[in-house]
Amino acid sequence: MATEQERLRADDLRARDAALDIHRSFIVQAPAGSGKTELLIQRYLKLFAVVDEPEEILAITFTRKAAAEMRLRVLEALEAAQAGTTSDSPHRRVTADAAADVLRRDAVCGWGIVENPGRMRIMTLDALNASVARMLPLTAGTGAHATIVEDSQMLSLHRDAAAATLDWLAADDDNAQAVRDVLAHVDGHTGIYVEQLARLLASRDQWLPFVGSGRLSDADAARLRASLERELADIAARALAGVQHSLPRWLAGSLPPLAAYAAANLRQADPGFALLADGAPLTGAAAGDLARWLAIATLLLTAEGSPRRRLSVLEGFPPADGGEKAAMQGVLDQLGEHPEFVAALHALRDLPPTRYPDDQWATLRSLFRLLPVGIYELRRLFAARGVTDYVEVALGAAAALGTTDAPGNVALLLDYTVRHVLVDEMQDTSKSQYRLLEALTAGWEPGDGRTLFCVGDPMQSIYRFRNAEVMQFLRAREHGIGGVRLEPLVLRQNFRSGERLVDWFNATFANVLPLRDDPLAGAVAYAASTPTPALAGQGECTVYPCFGSGVEREAEEGAAVVAKLVAAHPGESIAVLVRSRTQLPNLLRQLRARRVACQSVDIDRLTDLPEILDLLALTRALVHPGDRVAWLGLLRSPWIGLD
């Protein structure tokens, strides 16, 4: 009988073979160390065999570094094939064979791809957006030819635009009323108003498709409200379905009468418990049942989300009862054995209400009217300063591409030139980037020769602060993208870590991550990996506990471990990861004390050292005698020493 490792390795090999079928579309889950870049390169090279021009293949990466690495590795594979270099590694032989096929195709078609690597369309999503936006005429006003500024600079622009909307208070129109209403909602606090509006402007690509011009008629507003409330109800229903799925059978039978007993005692003190008074079975999973389940959560769990340890009259169980308190205590004692149910029940408390109160909806309508005013002010600032941001470029690209049902002229042009799309780091795509992929593949039909190939690892989704949504990966795996169905594949082999480390990963993270995927919560189940035979018996995971110690003690212990590893493995590189930059100064000081050479990026900078600061002060004072701050710094330097 095959072992678990052998089974996973066989599944991995089948997945890799299938992924190189260039006539089918796939979404591949590729955990860390699984060689996803090599697989992307192999697929990219194999596609050259079926295209007429290199530009028909579009490879999209998440960062410029990843795009440069992929382009470099493709060129290295082609140059190695030119030189006739071979490899003993099976997966590298696949790359070498594909590269040799490209060179033969190149000779027939006359591409000169090695001499003209610019014909390879390997770019980031931001670069793709910019190239699409540049196809629009200047009169479109997309700002595609302006200077793109980074996020840190955009923060002040967003705030300036938000503050500029306050000037509309002097007007006498709907815009002025919208500003008044939203400002009144924050009790006239202009600081809160500006900060919150600036945050919304930074994420305008997410809400602009729904808000539009903001001029909603009463009928349009009613339809939008109904649509949003249906979405809220759907969110609640999916969360309740998760609770029902994890509900222990014994609890479903024993809890209703005990909950009814508690509700009868608490009816006057807490009307919310009246929903439990009928002792009805725990079968409801519709949005209307949310209040009932929230009452159950209050009965069973503490505010922090753990099962209650003791009961009192405050929970509806007075000291003198007919045994109900003892029975309920038994329920709570067993509840700790069902962490999935406890977590799902506690998560209900974070759900928003499924309906908007009328006063909240009125404020929302005013906000919908105000947001386009904020965009107008932001674009006015863009034009005045000759700048733009990636969000604006993406919006311009979206306008150029149109929608799935109504593609724009640029989309039709791209549809003519792009026949195969490869997407790296799919787990880090945002909703707007997901819509871009839908527009790119609009009109594609099964069997028409065009393919979409997405690779990512939802377990490594870490860019939510940049609006990345791992649920997009899960939904793409289940429903495809636009009209393109994607066959799911999972890579299993880990080429990076030793066997003992992989075993530790499998044992640890299977308990850390949830048992099943939950797109609503962005939760992803763990996918087990297997080491390659070459790494059998290798790897080690050791924990050095420093309970109750301070940062100095942790730094001292960490530096001692690093120094020991350096001595045991001379010439090898060692990576040190910390939770935050504040932990690094102590660690770097300890490493220097042990004469351990280290390298860091934008962490231990020369310009932060006192001696360099003194030299800079001296230089500025000599260059500009009127630099008062430089002279004050010079007078306080060690060679003058004034306090």
Side-chain angles (χ1 to χ4, degrees), residues 576-589 591-592 598-609:
V576 179
L577 305 180
V578 295
R579 175 172 293 181
S580 66
R581 291 173 181 265
T582 57
Q583 295 175 286
L584 282 173
N586 293 313
L587 179 60
L588 291 171
R589 189 163 51 249
L591 290 174
R592 291 195 195 98
C598 57
Q599 181 181 23
S600 57
V601 179
D602 291 336
I603 293 174
D604 190 29
R605 296 179 294 183
L606 282 176
T607 52
D608 291 337
L609 298 178

PDB file of all heavy atoms in Angstrom, residues 576-589 591-592 598-609:
ATOM      1  N   VAL A 576      16.806  35.961   9.119  1.00  0.00           N
ATOM      2  CA  VAL A 576      16.220  36.258  10.426  1.00  0.00           C
ATOM      3  C   VAL A 576      14.957  37.086  10.196  1.00  0.00           C
ATOM      4  O   VAL A 576      15.012  38.162   9.601  1.00  0.00           O
ATOM      5  CB  VAL A 576      17.204  37.040  11.322  1.00  0.00           C
ATOM      6  CG1 VAL A 576      16.557  37.367  12.659  1.00  0.00           C
ATOM      7  CG2 VAL A 576      18.484  36.246  11.529  1.00  0.00           C
ATOM      8  N   LEU A 577      13.834  36.575  10.638  1.00  0.00           N
ATOM      9  CA  LEU A 577      12.554  37.277  10.514  1.00  0.00           C
ATOM     10  C   LEU A 577      12.102  37.741  11.896  1.00  0.00           C
ATOM     11  O   LEU A 577      12.184  36.981  12.863  1.00  0.00           O
ATOM     12  CB  LEU A 577      11.492  36.358   9.902  1.00  0.00           C
ATOM     13  CG  LEU A 577      11.831  35.728   8.550  1.00  0.00           C
ATOM     14  CD1 LEU A 577      10.675  34.852   8.081  1.00  0.00           C
ATOM     15  CD2 LEU A 577      12.125  36.782   7.515  1.00  0.00           C
ATOM     16  N   VAL A 578      11.636  38.973  11.990  1.00  0.00           N
ATOM     17  CA  VAL A 578      11.121  39.505  13.251  1.00  0.00           C
ATOM     18  C   VAL A 578       9.722  40.043  13.017  1.00  0.00           C
ATOM     19  O   VAL A 578       9.308  40.270  11.877  1.00  0.00           O
ATOM     20  CB  VAL A 578      12.032  40.630  13.800  1.00  0.00           C
ATOM     21  CG1 VAL A 578      13.394  40.087  14.165  1.00  0.00           C
ATOM     22  CG2 VAL A 578      12.160  41.764  12.809  1.00  0.00           C
ATOM     23  N   ARG A 579       9.010  40.236  14.098  1.00  0.00           N
ATOM     24  CA  ARG A 579       7.619  40.687  13.970  1.00  0.00           C
ATOM     25  C   ARG A 579       7.545  42.137  13.522  1.00  0.00           C
ATOM     26  O   ARG A 579       6.708  42.502  12.706  1.00  0.00           O
ATOM     27  CB  ARG A 579       6.891  40.505  15.299  1.00  0.00           C
ATOM     28  CG  ARG A 579       5.469  41.055  15.293  1.00  0.00           C
ATOM     29  CD  ARG A 579       4.719  40.696  16.548  1.00  0.00           C
ATOM     30  NE  ARG A 579       4.475  39.263  16.643  1.00  0.00           N
ATOM     31  CZ  ARG A 579       3.817  38.692  17.645  1.00  0.00           C
ATOM     32  NH1 ARG A 579       3.345  39.438  18.626  1.00  0.00           N
ATOM     33  NH2 ARG A 579       3.627  37.396  17.680  1.00  0.00           N
ATOM     34  N   SER A 580       8.418  42.987  14.045  1.00  0.00           N
ATOM     35  CA  SER A 580       8.384  44.406  13.684  1.00  0.00           C
ATOM     36  C   SER A 580       9.789  44.987  13.764  1.00  0.00           C
ATOM     37  O   SER A 580      10.695  44.395  14.358  1.00  0.00           O
ATOM     38  CB  SER A 580       7.443  45.183  14.622  1.00  0.00           C
ATOM     39  OG  SER A 580       7.952  45.180  15.943  1.00  0.00           O
ATOM     40  N   ARG A 581       9.955  46.175  13.175  1.00  0.00           N
ATOM     41  CA  ARG A 581      11.263  46.825  13.149  1.00  0.00           C
ATOM     42  C   ARG A 581      11.759  47.171  14.549  1.00  0.00           C
ATOM     43  O   ARG A 581      12.967  47.273  14.777  1.00  0.00           O
ATOM     44  CB  ARG A 581      11.192  48.104  12.312  1.00  0.00           C
ATOM     45  CG  ARG A 581      11.008  47.862  10.829  1.00  0.00           C
ATOM     46  CD  ARG A 581      10.770  49.180  10.108  1.00  0.00           C
ATOM     47  NE  ARG A 581      10.562  48.969   8.679  1.00  0.00           N
ATOM     48  CZ  ARG A 581      11.518  49.057   7.776  1.00  0.00           C
ATOM     49  NH1 ARG A 581      12.751  49.355   8.154  1.00  0.00           N
ATOM     50  NH2 ARG A 581      11.276  48.861   6.505  1.00  0.00           N
ATOM     51  N   THR A 582      10.842  47.384  15.488  1.00  0.00           N
ATOM     52  CA  THR A 582      11.257  47.783  16.832  1.00  0.00           C
ATOM     53  C   THR A 582      12.072  46.708  17.534  1.00  0.00           C
ATOM     54  O   THR A 582      12.783  46.997  18.495  1.00  0.00           O
ATOM     55  CB  THR A 582      10.020  48.109  17.688  1.00  0.00           C
ATOM     56  OG1 THR A 582       9.135  46.976  17.714  1.00  0.00           O
ATOM     57  CG2 THR A 582       9.276  49.303  17.111  1.00  0.00           C
ATOM     58  N   GLN A 583      11.973  45.467  17.067  1.00  0.00           N
ATOM     59  CA  GLN A 583      12.747  44.395  17.688  1.00  0.00           C
ATOM     60  C   GLN A 583      14.176  44.329  17.154  1.00  0.00           C
ATOM     61  O   GLN A 583      15.016  43.667  17.746  1.00  0.00           O
ATOM     62  CB  GLN A 583      12.064  43.042  17.433  1.00  0.00           C
ATOM     63  CG  GLN A 583      10.703  42.901  18.093  1.00  0.00           C
ATOM     64  CD  GLN A 583      10.031  41.597  17.708  1.00  0.00           C
ATOM     65  OE1 GLN A 583       9.551  41.451  16.600  1.00  0.00           O
ATOM     66  NE2 GLN A 583      10.029  40.645  18.626  1.00  0.00           N
ATOM     67  N   LEU A 584      14.434  45.000  16.041  1.00  0.00           N
ATOM     68  CA  LEU A 584      15.726  44.834  15.380  1.00  0.00           C
ATOM     69  C   LEU A 584      16.910  45.530  16.047  1.00  0.00           C
ATOM     70  O   LEU A 584      18.003  44.975  16.070  1.00  0.00           O
ATOM     71  CB  LEU A 584      15.623  45.281  13.928  1.00  0.00           C
ATOM     72  CG  LEU A 584      14.953  44.278  12.996  1.00  0.00           C
ATOM     73  CD1 LEU A 584      14.739  44.888  11.627  1.00  0.00           C
ATOM     74  CD2 LEU A 584      15.814  43.028  12.866  1.00  0.00           C
ATOM     75  N   PRO A 585      16.782  46.760  16.563  1.00  0.00           N
ATOM     76  CA  PRO A 585      17.972  47.412  17.128  1.00  0.00           C
ATOM     77  C   PRO A 585      18.689  46.571  18.180  1.00  0.00           C
ATOM     78  O   PRO A 585      19.925  46.464  18.163  1.00  0.00           O
ATOM     79  CB  PRO A 585      17.406  48.709  17.718  1.00  0.00           C
ATOM     80  CG  PRO A 585      16.196  48.994  16.887  1.00  0.00           C
ATOM     81  CD  PRO A 585      15.614  47.650  16.581  1.00  0.00           C
ATOM     82  N   ASN A 586      17.940  45.968  19.092  1.00  0.00           N
ATOM     83  CA  ASN A 586      18.571  45.135  20.121  1.00  0.00           C
ATOM     84  C   ASN A 586      19.256  43.922  19.512  1.00  0.00           C
ATOM     85  O   ASN A 586      20.370  43.551  19.910  1.00  0.00           O
ATOM     86  CB  ASN A 586      17.520  44.678  21.145  1.00  0.00           C
ATOM     87  CG  ASN A 586      16.968  45.829  21.962  1.00  0.00           C
ATOM     88  OD1 ASN A 586      17.725  46.648  22.464  1.00  0.00           O
ATOM     89  ND2 ASN A 586      15.657  45.906  22.081  1.00  0.00           N
ATOM     90  N   LEU A 587      18.596  43.292  18.526  1.00  0.00           N
ATOM     91  CA  LEU A 587      19.178  42.113  17.896  1.00  0.00           C
ATOM     92  C   LEU A 587      20.447  42.478  17.125  1.00  0.00           C
ATOM     93  O   LEU A 587      21.465  41.773  17.206  1.00  0.00           O
ATOM     94  CB  LEU A 587      18.152  41.465  16.966  1.00  0.00           C
ATOM     95  CG  LEU A 587      18.625  40.225  16.196  1.00  0.00           C
ATOM     96  CD1 LEU A 587      19.053  39.121  17.159  1.00  0.00           C
ATOM     97  CD2 LEU A 587      17.549  39.728  15.260  1.00  0.00           C
ATOM     98  N   LEU A 588      20.416  43.583  16.374  1.00  0.00           N
ATOM     99  CA  LEU A 588      21.599  43.999  15.621  1.00  0.00           C
ATOM    100  C   LEU A 588      22.758  44.327  16.558  1.00  0.00           C
ATOM    101  O   LEU A 588      23.923  44.018  16.262  1.00  0.00           O
ATOM    102  CB  LEU A 588      21.258  45.210  14.752  1.00  0.00           C
ATOM    103  CG  LEU A 588      20.305  44.936  13.582  1.00  0.00           C
ATOM    104  CD1 LEU A 588      19.871  46.243  12.930  1.00  0.00           C
ATOM    105  CD2 LEU A 588      20.973  44.039  12.549  1.00  0.00           C
ATOM    106  N   ARG A 589      22.454  44.945  17.680  1.00  0.00           N
ATOM    107  CA  ARG A 589      23.499  45.254  18.658  1.00  0.00           C
ATOM    108  C   ARG A 589      24.142  43.980  19.197  1.00  0.00           C
ATOM    109  O   ARG A 589      25.367  43.893  19.336  1.00  0.00           O
ATOM    110  CB  ARG A 589      22.895  46.094  19.787  1.00  0.00           C
ATOM    111  CG  ARG A 589      23.919  46.659  20.740  1.00  0.00           C
ATOM    112  CD  ARG A 589      23.353  47.796  21.573  1.00  0.00           C
ATOM    113  NE  ARG A 589      22.096  47.441  22.220  1.00  0.00           N
ATOM    114  CZ  ARG A 589      20.921  47.972  21.874  1.00  0.00           C
ATOM    115  NH1 ARG A 589      20.841  48.836  20.873  1.00  0.00           N
ATOM    116  NH2 ARG A 589      19.829  47.624  22.505  1.00  0.00           N
ATOM    117  N   LEU A 591      24.242  41.060  17.621  1.00  0.00           N
ATOM    118  CA  LEU A 591      25.005  40.422  16.548  1.00  0.00           C
ATOM    119  C   LEU A 591      26.360  41.099  16.364  1.00  0.00           C
ATOM    120  O   LEU A 591      27.378  40.429  16.130  1.00  0.00           O
ATOM    121  CB  LEU A 591      24.201  40.473  15.238  1.00  0.00           C
ATOM    122  CG  LEU A 591      22.955  39.591  15.178  1.00  0.00           C
ATOM    123  CD1 LEU A 591      22.178  39.847  13.891  1.00  0.00           C
ATOM    124  CD2 LEU A 591      23.327  38.107  15.272  1.00  0.00           C
ATOM    125  N   ARG A 592      26.382  42.430  16.469  1.00  0.00           N
ATOM    126  CA  ARG A 592      27.667  43.129  16.350  1.00  0.00           C
ATOM    127  C   ARG A 592      28.598  42.743  17.490  1.00  0.00           C
ATOM    128  O   ARG A 592      29.812  42.596  17.286  1.00  0.00           O
ATOM    129  CB  ARG A 592      27.437  44.645  16.353  1.00  0.00           C
ATOM    130  CG  ARG A 592      26.757  45.175  15.118  1.00  0.00           C
ATOM    131  CD  ARG A 592      26.902  46.701  15.033  1.00  0.00           C
ATOM    132  NE  ARG A 592      25.962  47.239  14.054  1.00  0.00           N
ATOM    133  CZ  ARG A 592      24.796  47.775  14.356  1.00  0.00           C
ATOM    134  NH1 ARG A 592      24.406  47.845  15.616  1.00  0.00           N
ATOM    135  NH2 ARG A 592      23.999  48.241  13.417  1.00  0.00           N
ATOM    136  N   CYS A 598      26.119  40.990   9.118  1.00  0.00           N
ATOM    137  CA  CYS A 598      24.733  40.852   8.677  1.00  0.00           C
ATOM    138  C   CYS A 598      24.404  41.954   7.677  1.00  0.00           C
ATOM    139  O   CYS A 598      25.087  42.979   7.599  1.00  0.00           O
ATOM    140  CB  CYS A 598      23.760  40.890   9.858  1.00  0.00           C
ATOM    141  SG  CYS A 598      23.885  42.387  10.857  1.00  0.00           S
ATOM    142  N   GLN A 599      23.357  41.739   6.945  1.00  0.00           N
ATOM    143  CA  GLN A 599      22.912  42.674   5.913  1.00  0.00           C
ATOM    144  C   GLN A 599      21.421  42.893   6.074  1.00  0.00           C
ATOM    145  O   GLN A 599      20.658  41.949   6.256  1.00  0.00           O
ATOM    146  CB  GLN A 599      23.221  42.116   4.522  1.00  0.00           C
ATOM    147  CG  GLN A 599      22.825  43.036   3.383  1.00  0.00           C
ATOM    148  CD  GLN A 599      23.124  42.427   2.021  1.00  0.00           C
ATOM    149  OE1 GLN A 599      23.224  41.208   1.902  1.00  0.00           O
ATOM    150  NE2 GLN A 599      23.272  43.248   1.010  1.00  0.00           N
ATOM    151  N   SER A 600      20.992  44.153   6.021  1.00  0.00           N
ATOM    152  CA  SER A 600      19.570  44.463   6.130  1.00  0.00           C
ATOM    153  C   SER A 600      19.235  45.552   5.125  1.00  0.00           C
ATOM    154  O   SER A 600      20.105  46.315   4.698  1.00  0.00           O
ATOM    155  CB  SER A 600      19.208  44.926   7.548  1.00  0.00           C
ATOM    156  OG  SER A 600      19.994  46.052   7.910  1.00  0.00           O
ATOM    157  N   VAL A 601      17.979  45.634   4.744  1.00  0.00           N
ATOM    158  CA  VAL A 601      17.519  46.586   3.745  1.00  0.00           C
ATOM    159  C   VAL A 601      16.585  47.594   4.406  1.00  0.00           C
ATOM    160  O   VAL A 601      15.552  47.210   4.971  1.00  0.00           O
ATOM    161  CB  VAL A 601      16.791  45.864   2.586  1.00  0.00           C
ATOM    162  CG1 VAL A 601      16.310  46.880   1.563  1.00  0.00           C
ATOM    163  CG2 VAL A 601      17.713  44.840   1.937  1.00  0.00           C
ATOM    164  N   ASP A 602      16.974  48.875   4.351  1.00  0.00           N
ATOM    165  CA  ASP A 602      16.163  49.961   4.919  1.00  0.00           C
ATOM    166  C   ASP A 602      15.826  49.727   6.380  1.00  0.00           C
ATOM    167  O   ASP A 602      14.735  50.061   6.852  1.00  0.00           O
ATOM    168  CB  ASP A 602      14.858  50.145   4.122  1.00  0.00           C
ATOM    169  CG  ASP A 602      15.108  50.701   2.740  1.00  0.00           C
ATOM    170  OD1 ASP A 602      16.150  51.340   2.557  1.00  0.00           O
ATOM    171  OD2 ASP A 602      14.258  50.479   1.855  1.00  0.00           O
ATOM    172  N   ILE A 603      16.743  49.119   7.104  1.00  0.00           N
ATOM    173  CA  ILE A 603      16.514  48.857   8.526  1.00  0.00           C
ATOM    174  C   ILE A 603      17.628  49.490   9.355  1.00  0.00           C
ATOM    175  O   ILE A 603      17.404  50.387  10.145  1.00  0.00           O
ATOM    176  CB  ILE A 603      16.413  47.343   8.798  1.00  0.00           C
ATOM    177  CG1 ILE A 603      15.150  46.784   8.141  1.00  0.00           C
ATOM    178  CG2 ILE A 603      16.391  47.064  10.306  1.00  0.00           C
ATOM    179  CD1 ILE A 603      15.014  45.292   8.229  1.00  0.00           C
ATOM    180  N   ASP A 604      18.851  49.036   9.161  1.00  0.00           N
ATOM    181  CA  ASP A 604      19.993  49.567   9.882  1.00  0.00           C
ATOM    182  C   ASP A 604      20.743  50.504   8.937  1.00  0.00           C
ATOM    183  O   ASP A 604      21.808  50.175   8.421  1.00  0.00           O
ATOM    184  CB  ASP A 604      20.890  48.402  10.357  1.00  0.00           C
ATOM    185  CG  ASP A 604      21.975  48.874  11.314  1.00  0.00           C
ATOM    186  OD1 ASP A 604      21.742  49.864  12.003  1.00  0.00           O
ATOM    187  OD2 ASP A 604      23.056  48.249  11.340  1.00  0.00           O
ATOM    188  N   ARG A 605      20.212  51.708   8.724  1.00  0.00           N
ATOM    189  CA  ARG A 605      20.737  52.598   7.702  1.00  0.00           C
ATOM    190  C   ARG A 605      21.905  53.425   8.230  1.00  0.00           C
ATOM    191  O   ARG A 605      21.926  53.826   9.397  1.00  0.00           O
ATOM    192  CB  ARG A 605      19.635  53.517   7.191  1.00  0.00           C
ATOM    193  CG  ARG A 605      18.501  52.766   6.497  1.00  0.00           C
ATOM    194  CD  ARG A 605      17.423  53.710   6.038  1.00  0.00           C
ATOM    195  NE  ARG A 605      16.744  54.330   7.188  1.00  0.00           N
ATOM    196  CZ  ARG A 605      15.713  55.158   7.086  1.00  0.00           C
ATOM    197  NH1 ARG A 605      15.251  55.485   5.899  1.00  0.00           N
ATOM    198  NH2 ARG A 605      15.159  55.675   8.157  1.00  0.00           N
ATOM    199  N   LEU A 606      22.861  53.712   7.357  1.00  0.00           N
ATOM    200  CA  LEU A 606      24.003  54.538   7.733  1.00  0.00           C
ATOM    201  C   LEU A 606      23.552  55.916   8.200  1.00  0.00           C
ATOM    202  O   LEU A 606      24.119  56.495   9.139  1.00  0.00           O
ATOM    203  CB  LEU A 606      24.955  54.680   6.542  1.00  0.00           C
ATOM    204  CG  LEU A 606      25.872  53.489   6.236  1.00  0.00           C
ATOM    205  CD1 LEU A 606      26.665  53.764   4.972  1.00  0.00           C
ATOM    206  CD2 LEU A 606      26.821  53.212   7.396  1.00  0.00           C
ATOM    207  N   THR A 607      22.530  56.454   7.554  1.00  0.00           N
ATOM    208  CA  THR A 607      22.078  57.808   7.888  1.00  0.00           C
ATOM    209  C   THR A 607      21.427  57.894   9.260  1.00  0.00           C
ATOM    210  O   THR A 607      21.091  58.992   9.712  1.00  0.00           O
ATOM    211  CB  THR A 607      21.092  58.311   6.824  1.00  0.00           C
ATOM    212  OG1 THR A 607      20.059  57.343   6.650  1.00  0.00           O
ATOM    213  CG2 THR A 607      21.794  58.555   5.505  1.00  0.00           C
ATOM    214  N   ASP A 608      21.236  56.758   9.924  1.00  0.00           N
ATOM    215  CA  ASP A 608      20.693  56.771  11.281  1.00  0.00           C
ATOM    216  C   ASP A 608      21.794  56.730  12.334  1.00  0.00           C
ATOM    217  O   ASP A 608      21.509  56.883  13.531  1.00  0.00           O
ATOM    218  CB  ASP A 608      19.750  55.579  11.488  1.00  0.00           C
ATOM    219  CG  ASP A 608      18.470  55.714  10.675  1.00  0.00           C
ATOM    220  OD1 ASP A 608      18.125  56.853  10.332  1.00  0.00           O
ATOM    221  OD2 ASP A 608      17.842  54.683  10.384  1.00  0.00           O
ATOM    222  N   LEU A 609      23.046  56.506  11.922  1.00  0.00           N
ATOM    223  CA  LEU A 609      24.153  56.418  12.875  1.00  0.00           C
ATOM    224  C   LEU A 609      24.567  57.816  13.321  1.00  0.00           C
ATOM    225  O   LEU A 609      24.645  58.746  12.506  1.00  0.00           O
ATOM    226  CB  LEU A 609      25.339  55.692  12.243  1.00  0.00           C
ATOM    227  CG  LEU A 609      25.080  54.239  11.817  1.00  0.00           C
ATOM    228  CD1 LEU A 609      26.318  53.658  11.152  1.00  0.00           C
ATOM    229  CD2 LEU A 609      24.677  53.395  13.015  1.00  0.00           C
TER     230      LEU A 609
END
